[in-house]
Amino acid sequence: MGKQRKWTLEEKIKIVKEFKKGATISYLNNKYGISGCGTVSRWNKEYDEGRLGIDNRGKRKHQTELEDIDILKKSYALLMEIRSQQHK
């Protein structure tokens, strides 16, 4: 498998703007040599959400998110314990 191309933010914005003006995804994939079938759609969505330049690949979840998950798990376990005691 070949090495994937790294697209700059400027290139992504240029391609997304072409897409918004009516260019088809297949046209853009052929014109720019984009290999992923959902790449332009994903860039368009990220552009609309203001996340196009953010790269979170390989990054761990924030500690607060992990703490929230632990709280939810403990709360659920407590709820299940309360429910089982009510049915006795």
Side-chain angles (χ1 to χ4, degrees), residues 49-63:
E49 295 172 351
R51 306 182 298 115
L52 185 57
I54 300 171
D55 184 0
N56 288 324
R57 291 177 296 177
K59 297 199 171 104
R60 294 181 173 258
K61 290 185 177 182
H62 294 92
Q63 186 62 34

Side-chain angles (χ1 to χ4, degrees), residues 13-26:
I13 291 172
K14 177 182 175 183
I15 293 166
V16 167
K17 287 184 177 181
E18 279 189 59
F19 176 70
K20 289 187 177 297
K21 288 181 181 177
T24 65
I25 290 174
S26 61

Side-chain angles (χ1 to χ4, degrees), residues 22-66:
T24 65
I25 290 174
S26 61
Y27 169 79
L28 294 170
N29 285 348
N30 290 331
K31 180 177 178 181
Y32 293 102
I34 300 168
S35 59
C37 59
T39 303
V40 174
S41 296
R42 187 181 73 250
W43 290 349
N44 184 54
K45 181 180 178 188
E46 291 172 357
Y47 179 86
D48 290 343
E49 295 172 351
R51 306 182 298 115
L52 185 57
I54 300 171
D55 184 0
N56 288 324
R57 291 177 296 177
K59 297 199 171 104
R60 294 181 173 258
K61 290 185 177 182
H62 294 92
Q63 186 62 34
T64 55
E65 290 174 339
L66 294 174

